[in-house]
Amino acid sequence: MLCTGVGGLLAWAWTSTSADSTVGEVAFERRLPVPPLAPSTVDGDGRRVFDLRASKGRHDFGGQTAETLGWNGDYLGPTLRATRGERVVVNVHNGLDEVTSAHWHGMHLPPTMDGGPHQPVEPGATWSPTWTVDQPAATLWYHPHPHGETADHVYRGLAGMFIVDDPGTDVAALPHEYGVDDVPVIVQDKAFDDGKLGSDTGMFGSGGVLGDKVVVNGALGPYLDVTTERVRLRLLNASNVRPYRFGFSDGRTFALVGTDGGLLDAPYETTGVTMVGGERAEIVVTMRPGERVVLRSTPASLDLDWFHKRISGANDSFDIMELRAAASLRPSPAVPTRLVDTPRLDPAQAKHTREWSFSGTSINGKKMDGSRVDAAVTKDSVEVWKLTARDGELHSFHVHDVQFQVLTVDGKAPPPHLRGWKDTVFLAQNKQVVIIARFADHADPTTPYMFHCHVLRHEDQGMMGQFVVIEPGQVPKLAPEHADHD
Ligand code: C2O
Ligand code: CU
């Protein structure tokens, strides 16, 4: 395994558990576990109610067992699923002996329901956020966000998927039978260390943990039995720091149909998709009867010195999961040429332009301060944010509450995989990424939303800022308790 040193120094060290590559060494001996769909009830007010309980567990990853955390189980959590327009309630019970939280990554919702560092859930307590789902069909996810402990809680297993359906989208156009031809693929790297996940073995230096094994939905070397001509994989990089470039062992093309916040206007045929921590991609893969093909990650071309020198090359390939097609496959609809029609946000309408510079574990030279507001955004206004990583370390940008559009990357039009709705984006060194977003509704001058690097250890160490959404003329005034959770 690899660790970064403390204090931002790149003091890398190999330990005895390091492996050059798992390509070709994976037996694919266990069926891919699919997180169950979370049961829900509808309460007297017509709200869809879910229950999540965080607790400790022991999880068998397949030949490796370790102490873990999970929602409603030993590791990861059930898939929450709701439809645009529905009002939801999630009863989040903390069965741990430490403070945690539940953040709805990618969800547009009021700041008091967001589950960030300002909504801690004390041990034994239950927090019940409620909101109306109001965004396009998308693959979102949830994970804890307690300040300083996010990397640890996610790494030990607290994460799950949240699928949003939209009655305005043609469901039948894409494979959509959950667990059959529409399958969550939650990818995480792990460093197994004597029945532990390495979380308390000094692995959370400035960059965080990089494991030498990759698990999918909590399983090492899984296979997926495919029974249909096409299968849709909802890829989620829920790793703390590791980026992946997903493709297939035979180099086949697949259709990228969705990114973080929804479907692309048109599918993009490609042989690989690069994803940093927190990003999602929905892909549709076409299979021939009886064949087997491996979902593989090859070194991501991230144009990033430290990553290539330290991790990439031969040391960064992983065989992740095998797809096994049945001898005869049920027909699937052809992938449509158009999926949705996304209105483009117009930079001419931007009310504000802000610049955020990422270096070390600071943004614009500042560490996260729970009592400081870094930006006050007027409700329903459009803003342009210019994002630049300066120091050659791996950084990304994630913002709560909104989905954004990428206007340019290094002055050029974004590549196809960055043309849809996004909430997380990789920042290559000194290549400015310009984004645009509309901060619709949910004005609240007292409760901030977060924006941060999604390298979770960077976030924990302070690479995070706060913004509030206010009515015109309002003045931000953080509620006093917020200063306690910085
Ligand atoms: Cu996925 Cu602020 O996080
Ligand atoms: Cu970072």
Side-chain angles (χ1 to χ4, degrees):
M1 67 183 87
L2 275 169
C3 328
T4 58
V6 282
L9 294 171
L10 283 169
W12 295 81
W14 290 92
T15 72
S16 57
T17 59
S18 66
D20 279 353
S21 163
T22 58
V23 170
E25 297 168 12
V26 177
F28 301 112
E29 281 169 336
R30 52 201 65 80
R31 191 181 296 268
L32 179 75
V34 175
L37 285 170
S40 61
T41 54
V42 176
D43 72 6
D45 299 323
R47 306 181 305 178
R48 184 167 298 286
V49 184
F50 299 95
D51 291 294
L52 288 178
R53 180 194 169 87
S55 59
K56 285 191 186 172
R58 252 194 105 68
H59 179 68
D60 181 2
F61 290 86
Q64 292 274 5
T65 303
E67 291 169 14
T68 50
L69 304 179
W71 302 104
N72 302 358
D74 286 332
Y75 190 77
L76 297 177
T79 297
L80 276 56
R81 188 157 198 168
T83 301
R84 186 174 199 168
E86 263 186 321
R87 191 151 182 89
V88 297
V89 185
V90 191
N91 298 312
V92 178
H93 182 75
N94 181 359
L96 309 176
D97 47 20
E98 57 190 310
V99 173
T100 191
S101 81
H103 165 60
W104 320 105
H105 179 128
M107 193 74 75
H108 174 52
L109 77 188
T112 50
M113 308 298 167
D114 189 42
H118 297 295
Q119 290 85 39
V121 187
E122 299 293 329
T126 300
W127 175 61
S128 298
T130 176
W131 70 93
T132 300
V133 174
D134 185 17
Q135 61 196 90
T139 301
L140 312 182
W141 65 301
Y142 60 95
H143 63 78
H145 216 303
H147 192 45
E149 302 299 330
T150 296
D152 181 69
H153 288 198
V154 174
Y155 187 67
R156 287 154 74 195
L158 291 176
M161 213 169 248
F162 197 134
I163 296 176
V164 173
D165 298 306
D166 184 345
T169 304
D170 179 13
V171 175
L174 294 170
H176 58 276
E177 201 179 331
Y178 185 83
V180 176
D181 62 4
D182 180 357
V183 182
V185 177
I186 303 175
V187 181
Q188 301 171 302
D189 58 338
K190 295 291 171 212
F192 293 100
D193 186 5
D194 241 359
K196 291 221 166 33
L197 282 177
S199 60
D200 50 8
T201 55
M203 292 306 295
F204 288 94
S206 102
V209 68
L210 279 161
D212 60 336
K213 296 278 190 294
V214 172
V215 299
V216 183
N217 301 345
L220 279 160
Y223 63 85
L224 173 69
D225 282 323
V226 176
T227 55
T228 53
E229 272 172 11
R230 285 179 241 286
V231 62
R232 173 194 200 164
L233 304 178
R234 297 181 188 252
L235 303 169
L236 159 61
N237 181 356
S239 308
N240 285 41
V241 53
R242 183 180 290 284
Y244 302 87
R245 182 176 185 278
F246 294 110
F248 290 91
S249 48
D250 61 355
R252 72 181 54 197
T253 59
F254 54 87
L256 176 70
V257 296
T259 56
D260 301 341
L263 296 174
L264 296 174
D265 285 0
Y268 168 51
E269 283 287 329
T270 183
T271 56
V273 58
T274 295
M275 296 171 68
V276 297
E279 286 188 301
R280 286 87 65 211
E282 295 185 28
I283 66 172
V284 176
V285 190
T286 302
M287 299 289 289
R288 287 179 298 271
E291 72 170 341
R292 294 185 175 193
V293 67
V294 172
L295 176 71
R296 173 175 287 174
S297 177
T298 50
S301 49
L302 287 179
D303 192 13
L304 199 65
D305 292 349
W306 78 264
F307 193 77
H308 282 281
K309 287 196 189 113
R310 314 268 173 187
I311 305 172
S312 256
N315 301 328
D316 190 40
S317 292
F318 294 93
D319 275 3
I320 291 174
M321 173 170 93
E322 189 173 53
L323 304 186
R324 297 183 178 174
S328 87
L329 298 173
R330 278 192 285 135
S332 305
V335 179
T337 51
R338 295 292 296 177
L339 293 164
V340 289
D341 250 312
T342 309
R344 302 308 301 181
L345 294 173
D346 178 3
Q349 291 175 359
K351 198 175 155 84
H352 253 290
T353 298
R354 302 180 202 266
E355 293 196 31
W356 307 110
S357 161
F358 291 69
S359 190
T361 52
S362 301
I363 302 175
N364 289 1
K366 291 179 185 154
K367 298 270 191 186
M368 156 74 177
D369 178 347
S371 58
R372 185 187 68 230
V373 174
D374 298 285
V377 177
T378 306
K379 186 180 97 174
D380 209 33
S381 69
V382 172
E383 295 211 354
V384 168
W385 288 11
K386 299 181 170 180
L387 317 165
T388 315
R390 306 270 182 204
D391 63 358
E393 278 214 48
L394 176 63
H395 299 301
S396 61
F397 173 82
H398 168 55
V399 59
H400 291 203
D401 183 45
V402 295
Q403 292 289 334
F404 55 78
Q405 292 173 353
V406 177
L407 292 173
T408 56
V409 177
D410 199 27
K412 296 185 269 293
H417 71 281
L418 297 181
R419 291 191 194 149
W421 290 116
K422 292 288 294 168
D423 57 51
T424 306
V425 66
F426 165 64
L427 303 178
Q429 183 179 7
N430 290 324
K431 294 192 172 162
Q432 191 173 67
V433 176
V434 182
I435 62 166
I436 186 167
R438 178 185 298 281
F439 296 78
D441 47 61
H442 305 320
D444 178 347
T446 66
T447 311
Y449 294 103
M450 305 292 127
F451 59 96
H452 56 88
C453 176
H454 216 286
V455 171
L456 296 180
R457 197 56 189 164
H458 289 174
E459 171 198 330
D460 280 339
Q461 293 188 332
M463 200 167 221
M464 177 151 71
Q466 310 200 102
F467 70 98
V468 288
V469 176
I470 53 174
E471 300 285 354
Q474 252 179 350
V475 177
K477 189 176 184 318
L478 295 190
E481 71 268 17
H482 291 147
D484 298 337
H485 300 290
D486 63 348

